[in-house]
Amino acid sequence: MAFQNQVLFAKDSVYVHINVQDTKDKDAHIAGRVFLLNKPEGYFIEWKAEDVLNLETTSEEWDVINYKNDREGDSVSMNAKMDARRKYNISFDILDLKSFKRSAPNHGWAYIIFILKDGTTFPALHFHNGGSKALLKELENFIYIRRSPNDPRLFLVKDHDPEQLSQSINELSLFTDSSGAYVQNFVNDSKHGLSKKFIKSPYTTTLGGFSKVTNFLRDVLMTPENSQNLVRPQSEVAELLQDDIPGMEISQLDEPGFEMITKTKLPPRPTVKRGDPLASPQWNSFFDAEGRISKVDELKDIIFRGGVDPALRSEVWKFLLGFYDWDSCSKKRTDQRKRKVDEYFRMKLQWKTISAEQEKRFTLLKERRGLIDKDVMRTDRTHKFFAGDKNPNLQVLYDILMTYCMYNFDLGYVQGMSDILSPILVVMENEVDAFWCFAGAMERVCHNFEMDQNGMKVQLSQIHKLMQIQDPELCAYLEAHDSGNFYFCFRWILIVFKREFHFHEIQRLWEVIWTDRPCSNFHLIISLAILESEKSTLLENKFGFTEILKHINDISLSIPLEETLRKAEGIFLQLRDYKKLPISLKEILGLLPPAHVPASQSMENSMFMGSTSNSSSSLQQEAGVKVDTPTLMAGGAGSGASSVKGVTRSGSGSDLTKGTVGAACSANVARSIGMSARYGGGARQSNGGGAGGNAGATCGMDDVHKVFT
Amino acid sequence: MSGRSKLLKVVLLGDGGVGKSSLMNRFVSNKFDAQSYHTIGVEFLNKEVTVNGENFTMQIWDTAGQERFKSLRTPFYRGADICMLTFAVNDRKSFENLPMWKREFLYYADIQDGAPFPFIIVGNKCDMPNREISEEMAQSWCSRNANAPYFETSAKDATNVQLAFISAVSRMREMEDQLEVKPVQTNSVDLSKKQKPLNSGCCS
Ligand SMILES: Nc1nc2c(ncn2[C@@H]2O[C@H](COP(=O)(O)OP(=O)(O)O)[C@@H](O)[C@H]2O)c(=O)[nH]1
Ligand SMILES: [Mg+2]
């Protein structure tokens, strides 16, 4: 029996912005319609793409449109585009709604981000043609909404109980002009009968009791209601008690016998301005007669402040990523480039010439091939550059990653590397350039990918340490909710926010980060900035461990980049000017005089500590502890040996190959053996040799010889 | 997300690329996204189900399979109620790695030696023509592993996906009943080792 869903509200021209090349891309915004529906199961907010709606409205009834979770198999018949559209569909019971965020008032148009009780966070719904307020007004008839006292953009949904609901009628309505909100069939809903006992929230406890060391510890030790019921091991408790809590100023002014923790008194946050991207005339003005860049620092400052005009990226990135030396003249660059072309093909040839027979006894290579194969198929496939099953660029992606295995065999291929490569390849549109720029980018982040994962652990703990000073309140909350290890930031750090921003934004973010301004750990401060923006959402929704993880996973692609960069720089400046900043943090922020070895580099210098693993965290250094952990993998030291900047290649990969294939394999040799004028061709039968043959269209030999002038 | 449903933590394990994320998305939202990314870090999705009249919130955990990310994923095994060991029927290696995944799970989930635990074995991508593992081979492995139920699924065309997940719940309930060590009010025992139901602020 078909139940006619009652449409209480509908609005079209509501868009979801998806991750594609740039905002000018016509696929960047999916047009759709938002609904508030009265369904048999309850009241639902739904958003559907117009394409999907047009297709579906051929059948009149709503329950046909409503995608049934428990019926399998009907989406296979849909064509691919419909599938792609449909995956953005949004539908949720308003009883599951926990809060939502609205755009800042000065934003060009309004958008709303809905957040559910389990932390699920939907992509922003952009109301290009208005209507967001009307929807919220309508919604207010069914749920009690209040504005967060701490974040004017955040709105919280109170749990439904009849008392509160009647209250909502009396209280100031947020989205209506009159107080005539009415309740529609609401209390009849059986789900509403649930009595919600009001549990004293951990947030309130945290806030209220925050001034007391005792309460603070109690909060941390007695895992609050909302979080995982993991009992903290005795040892951890002991640790917590011993540690004085950095960033908290302890005074005894207030009440005798109680130590008072005040928030860290950082200096006020300066307003930070972002600038315009580096554009062509300006860029050209930096070169002298011999084509050498003068005033490198000034240039980097400009890039840090405004990024680079997309049209210049393929040139500028070559400097940022060490393909060219900053102090090189045009002549030297021509030579550099020629050598790199030869070098690349020499390494590419190494894996290309391994026969299937040989590979049977080369398990490691075979395994890597398999991994790369699978991941190439799962990297930025919504982006035009990689879209479509037979896209030749997939082969280029594959070839570069395989060649990187040869270049840095100790590190090999690790999941996440394809994410680092993809934006670089899109910018370079050339296999050789992309390879070397990728290698340069990897130099900065290779410690993220090492076997023992120490680079990751160190950085996550550095975020923790920074937050202890920068925002002790948020830090205590996260700790009290089993999130003090900052695992929820793992993806951010591993691939430098690649999945968190739209494609054009990640290109901007990366070029900013590659300037190493204001310090080489700016990405950690960016993490603090994003978390600060989410603070009210996490705390006021009383999110526990799982909800925090889910919410942070889900905000990807709805983080405003420029605002985040401004905030991050502001935080950096505050910390820099904070008189009592502990040494370990100064180290992280690169604020120590050159005599000290900054933490970020000590990680890189692990080679000099024999078999010591990269875990030489600043803490251990401070305490003078030298931990002699043997590296799990021979490659640990080798790949860590190269310097952070540039492409000083010291990986044993290249040493190993010296003299074997050697310089004999010039580009010409490569061409002559047919690997090619179109280097995607016929390498592996299994990977669609035919399609690969077209790779040259974008990444052909001709491009290789187009030398930067 | 009713307050009355019991939270079940389900951990999906298996080699990278066998289709864990795809299975999860097919089960939870009945979607298959051919353009999806490989998983980095840890993700989970919730799904309300009713099995034999009982309501459950299945909280399905999905991680990255590469060896090196082990230290990231293993903390999430704790408190699991169900483990789904996944391979792809067109990938022999992924099948051969099942014992490794099982061992890793038992070790980090802190399951007592020899204690029965509801494992479900899933052979995904059964829509693919180039099979390397026959149903018999898989069944035979299962029979040697506490007779774990085996399902051949396709996340792509939705074959058996619901069945596999729902059967996992029945399997768990059966094992609980068989054990009879646990008193009727199993809730308190179970919940003590895993996180609270989701909307814990307001219900249950
Ligand atoms: N033919 C087919 N392909 C699948 C199936 N399930 C997943 N895939 C594809 O296999 C690849 C790996 O899937 P994914 O879910 O990312 O694997 P995971 O690494 O185990 O999470 C993706 O390209 C999917 O599109 C399936 O049932 N049939
Ligand atoms: Mg996955």
Side-chain angles (χ1 to χ4, degrees):
Chain A
M1 196 191 77
F3 177 91
Q4 198 78 27
N5 286 320
Q6 189 190 350
V7 180
L8 303 174
F9 177 89
K11 177 82 187 80
D12 54 15
S13 300
V14 179
Y15 291 76
V16 167
H17 295 185
I18 64 169
N19 192 9
V20 286
Q21 170 78 62
D22 57 53
T23 39
K24 280 170 247 138
D25 193 326
K26 68 171 167 31
D27 284 334
H29 301 163
I30 305 181
R33 218 176 300 167
V34 73
F35 301 93
L36 179 61
L37 301 172
N38 183 359
K39 299 195 245 197
E41 314 89 282
Y43 293 90
F44 276 69
I45 287 183
E46 301 199 341
W47 178 89
K48 285 196 166 67
E50 293 289 354
D51 294 349
V52 176
L53 279 168
N54 293 341
L55 188 97
E56 283 173 337
T57 37
T58 46
S59 63
E60 296 279 273
E61 282 166 350
W62 263 102
D63 67 338
V64 181
I65 296 168
N66 180 20
Y67 207 63
K68 282 281 194 290
N69 277 348
D70 45 5
R71 200 176 60 214
E72 296 194 349
D74 47 359
S75 80
V76 189
S77 56
M78 304 287 293
N79 67 40
K81 180 163 182 190
M82 246 12 105
D83 262 357
R85 290 291 184 253
R86 171 169 273 172
K87 82 179 174 206
Y88 297 101
N89 282 0
I90 291 173
S91 170
F92 61 87
D93 186 330
I94 62 169
L95 290 186
D96 292 332
L97 188 64
K98 181 96 180 180
S99 63
F100 57 86
K101 263 190 156 172
R102 297 185 77 190
S103 45
N106 57 356
H107 197 267
W109 60 84
Y111 65 79
I112 307 177
I113 297 169
F114 289 107
I115 302 163
L116 303 188
K117 286 175 180 164
D118 69 354
T120 300
T121 304
F122 291 106
L125 290 179
H126 297 265
F127 291 75
H128 289 190
N129 247 338
S132 69
K133 204 166 166 184
L135 171 66
L136 295 175
K137 263 188 203 173
E138 195 62 42
L139 198 57
E140 234 196 343
N141 294 331
F142 302 95
I143 49 179
Y144 174 54
I145 301 166
R146 68 186 170 85
R147 192 190 281 255
S148 155
N150 300 306
D151 180 348
R153 295 173 48 202
L154 180 67
F155 294 83
L156 306 159
V157 179
K158 275 282 197 121
D159 281 323
H160 320 283
D161 76 39
E163 234 171 276
Q164 280 175 357
L165 205 67
S166 61
Q167 230 181 338
S168 80
I169 297 171
N170 299 327
E171 279 191 30
L172 171 93
S173 281
L174 290 161
F175 309 105
T176 52
D177 311 315
S178 68
S179 57
Y182 57 98
V183 185
Q184 199 180 24
N185 285 339
F186 201 57
V187 193
N188 295 341
D189 191 321
S190 65
K191 280 183 185 172
H192 281 265
L194 288 174
S195 74
K196 309 276 158 62
K197 63 178 166 165
F198 189 74
I199 299 154
K200 195 173 183 210
S201 78
Y203 180 40
T204 327
T205 318
T206 312
L207 282 182
F210 202 74
S211 56
K212 306 285 192 299
V213 176
T214 44
N215 283 350
F216 169 68
L217 286 176
R218 196 194 60 205
D219 265 6
V220 174
L221 303 181
M222 298 169 52
T223 315
E225 221 278 323
N226 215 18
S227 69
Q228 227 183 1
N229 285 0
L230 294 172
V231 181
R232 278 173 188 271
Q234 241 5 77
S235 57
E236 208 179 320
V237 174
E239 246 173 57
L240 274 164
L241 288 167
Q242 267 174 19
D243 266 6
D244 59 339
I245 303 147
M248 313 249 181
E249 289 161 36
I250 297 179
S251 68
Q252 305 195 329
L253 299 175
D254 219 301
E255 285 171 71
F258 283 102
E259 289 173 316
M260 172 84 181
I261 304 174
T262 52
K263 288 188 192 178
T264 320
K265 280 193 217 70
L266 290 181
R269 185 170 301 175
T271 348
V272 170
K273 280 215 180 80
R274 300 276 307 149
D276 291 328
L278 174 73
S280 211
Q282 199 178 16
W283 166 245
N284 291 334
S285 73
F286 274 95
F287 289 89
D288 66 15
E290 279 157 9
R292 194 176 278 118
I293 296 179
S294 54
K295 296 184 279 187
V296 173
D297 280 335
E298 198 178 298
L299 180 62
K300 284 191 186 172
D301 286 342
I302 295 170
I303 298 173
F304 169 71
R305 195 138 309 282
V308 176
D309 185 310
L312 281 182
R313 278 200 174 119
S314 68
E315 283 176 34
V316 179
W317 282 22
K318 288 192 183 86
F319 288 90
L320 287 169
L321 293 172
F323 186 98
Y324 294 135
D325 298 333
W326 283 103
D327 59 2
S328 59
C329 59
S330 337
K331 164 82 178 61
K332 188 175 171 209
R333 286 196 292 274
T334 312
D335 296 345
Q336 268 180 334
R337 183 174 178 134
K338 200 165 151 4
R339 246 181 302 120
K340 284 187 193 294
V341 171
D342 287 355
E343 180 93 350
Y344 176 76
F345 284 109
R346 191 176 55 75
M347 291 187 288
K348 183 171 177 179
L349 206 59
Q350 286 167 356
W351 63 268
K352 280 254 182 186
T353 52
I354 287 172
S355 67
E357 203 39 45
Q358 222 180 338
E359 197 171 280
K360 278 188 191 152
R361 296 176 297 272
F362 201 169
T363 322
L364 202 49
L365 188 77
K366 191 175 162 193
E367 273 172 20
R368 286 174 186 181
R369 207 190 260 292
L371 278 173
I372 293 173
D373 224 359
K374 284 178 189 136
D375 286 355
V376 159
M377 303 306 290
R378 296 184 284 175
T379 303
D380 290 320
R381 299 302 301 283
T382 50
H383 191 291
K384 262 199 199 101
F385 195 83
F386 300 111
D389 281 345
K390 302 236 160 84
N391 190 320
N393 292 326
L394 298 178
Q395 181 71 43
V396 181
L397 202 60
Y398 174 90
D399 285 0
I400 295 176
L401 290 169
M402 280 302 288
T403 308
Y404 188 78
C405 278
M406 286 300 161
Y407 171 75
N408 193 348
F409 201 84
D410 289 341
L411 190 59
Y413 174 77
V414 185
Q415 293 199 304
M417 287 186 186
S418 65
D419 281 278
I420 305 274
L421 171 57
S422 144
I424 296 176
L425 179 57
V426 168
V427 164
M428 295 299 154
E429 292 191 294
N430 168 294
E431 182 173 344
V432 176
D433 294 353
F435 170 81
W436 287 109
C437 288
F438 168 63
M442 279 305 299
E443 288 298 327
R444 309 175 133 269
V445 295
C446 60
H447 46 268
N448 291 3
F449 294 98
E450 270 157 22
M451 198 56 182
D452 57 14
Q453 286 289 288
N454 256 316
M456 287 303 299
K457 287 172 196 163
V458 166
Q459 289 172 88
L460 295 178
S461 81
Q462 285 173 335
I463 297 179
H464 187 190
K465 284 184 214 156
L466 289 164
M467 189 183 280
Q468 281 176 328
I469 300 291
Q470 183 254 337
D471 193 343
E473 186 191 11
L474 177 56
C475 194
Y477 182 87
L478 293 173
E479 286 169 359
H481 294 80
D482 300 299
S483 302
N485 53 22
F486 287 77
Y487 270 8
F488 57 89
C489 298
F490 183 86
R491 187 173 71 194
W492 294 3
I493 301 301
L494 186 79
I495 50 173
V496 208
F497 305 101
K498 161 66 170 42
R499 303 256 180 111
E500 317 312 318
F501 291 96
H502 291 276
F503 215 83
H504 61 285
E505 290 172 328
I506 202 64
Q507 292 169 337
R508 170 61 38 86
L509 175 64
W510 283 1
E511 62 206 11
V512 168
I513 287 178
W514 291 336
T515 63
D516 286 320
R517 272 154 177 69
C519 69
S520 63
N521 275 324
F522 193 48
H523 63 294
L524 303 178
I525 319 278
I526 292 170
S527 304
L528 295 180
I530 301 173
L531 290 171
E532 185 184 276
S533 303
E534 297 309 316
K535 177 178 177 180
S536 297
T537 305
L538 300 180
L539 270 64
E540 290 175 43
N541 286 316
K542 298 158 205 152
F543 278 167
F545 168 72
T546 53
E547 295 89 350
I548 293 171
L549 180 72
K550 190 161 199 58
H551 178 69
I552 295 300
N553 272 341
D554 284 358
I555 56 170
S556 87
L557 304 186
S558 18
I559 307 169
L561 178 62
E562 291 296 322
E563 183 188 316
T564 303
L565 286 172
R566 276 194 301 272
K567 200 175 268 188
E569 192 185 350
I571 292 172
F572 175 85
L573 295 171
Q574 278 181 294
L575 289 170
R576 187 195 64 185
D577 298 339
Y578 179 47
K579 293 263 168 4
K580 294 177 206 155
L581 194 68
I583 292 243
S584 59
L585 294 202
K586 287 191 174 161
E587 225 176 276
I588 297 171
L589 300 177
L591 296 173
L592 289 182
H596 293 256
V597 183
S600 63
Q601 274 171 38
S602 74
M603 225 151 56
E604 304 301 322
N605 289 337
S606 62
M607 193 180 86
F608 304 113
M609 298 154 88
S611 60
T612 308
S613 77
N614 286 346
S615 71
S616 49
S617 73
S618 47
L619 264 190
Q620 285 169 345
Q621 282 189 340
E622 247 165 354
V625 183
K626 191 179 175 229
V627 189
D628 247 353
T629 327
T631 31
L632 290 174
M633 194 190 171
S639 45
S642 24
S643 75
V644 194
K645 288 170 216 161
V647 282
T648 356
R649 276 159 286 126
S650 65
S652 37
S654 53
D655 293 340
L656 174 89
T657 56
K658 224 168 259 167
T660 49
V661 183
C665 287
S666 67
N668 287 335
V669 175
R671 189 186 311 182
S672 68
I673 59 164
M675 65 175 265
S676 134
R678 323 202 167 272
Y679 7 119
R684 299 179 56 232
Q685 291 96 334
S686 65
N687 211 8
N694 297 326
T698 42
C699 299
M701 246 336 164
D702 321 290
D703 288 323
V704 175
H705 292 294
K706 186 184 82 188
V707 176
F708 172 75
T709 45
Chain B
M1 274 180 227
S2 150
R4 287 151 298 178
S5 60
K6 190 184 156 189
L7 184 76
L8 288 185
K9 181 168 174 179
V10 182
V11 175
L12 268 175
L13 292 182
D15 283 7
V18 298
K20 298 179 295 295
S21 306
S22 303
L23 284 165
M24 177 172 80
N25 283 315
R26 170 60 80 187
F27 176 59
V28 174
S29 359
N30 200 10
K31 289 172 190 164
F32 178 77
D33 180 5
Q35 300 172 322
S36 66
Y37 286 88
H38 59 268
T39 312
I40 289 185
V42 188
E43 294 174 3
F44 74 92
L45 288 175
N46 293 313
K47 168 98 171 164
E48 298 286 322
V49 295
T50 305
V51 181
N52 301 327
E54 276 183 283
N55 293 327
F56 299 94
T57 301
M58 294 179 82
Q59 185 178 77
I60 303 153
W61 289 81
D62 176 29
T63 61
Q66 204 169 354
E67 167 65 16
R68 122 173 28 201
F69 299 125
K70 190 168 163 176
S71 61
L72 179 81
R73 65 174 174 260
T74 50
F76 293 91
Y77 299 176
R78 264 182 77 175
D81 299 283
I82 291 167
C83 176
M84 299 181 76
L85 296 175
T86 315
F87 68 97
V89 296
N90 62 348
D91 178 358
R92 171 178 293 273
K93 185 84 190 146
S94 70
F95 176 69
E96 289 168 355
N97 276 337
L98 289 183
M100 186 278 286
W101 286 113
K102 186 178 171 186
R103 258 196 319 274
E104 181 178 298
F105 176 78
L106 287 172
Y107 184 80
Y108 289 98
D110 239 350
I111 312 277
Q112 280 168 1
D113 266 350
F117 188 86
F119 283 103
I120 306 294
I121 316 304
V122 176
N124 190 39
K125 305 200 188 181
C126 69
D127 58 286
M128 295 287 279
N130 52 338
R131 232 178 217 274
E132 293 186 354
I133 301 300
S134 68
E135 194 169 346
E136 295 73 48
M137 286 164 79
Q139 286 289 7
S140 130
W141 189 82
C142 293
S143 65
R144 280 176 281 120
N145 282 271
N147 277 319
Y150 175 62
F151 296 94
E152 297 213 331
T153 61
S154 164
K156 189 176 178 187
D157 62 23
T159 310
N160 282 344
V161 178
Q162 301 286 324
L163 183 67
F165 279 88
I166 298 300
S167 305
V169 180
S170 328
R171 169 76 169 178
M172 185 211 69
R173 293 296 283 123
E174 264 166 43
M175 290 180 79
E176 275 182 355
D177 291 347
Q178 274 167 20
L179 265 181
E180 283 196 332
V181 182
K182 293 181 183 173
V184 187
Q185 63 274 34
T186 50
N187 273 15
S188 58
V189 178
D190 277 355
L191 286 174
S192 66
K193 59 168 188 174
K194 64 174 163 262
Q195 56 272 37
K196 293 275 306 159
L198 290 162
N199 33 356
S200 53
C202 57
C203 13
S204 73

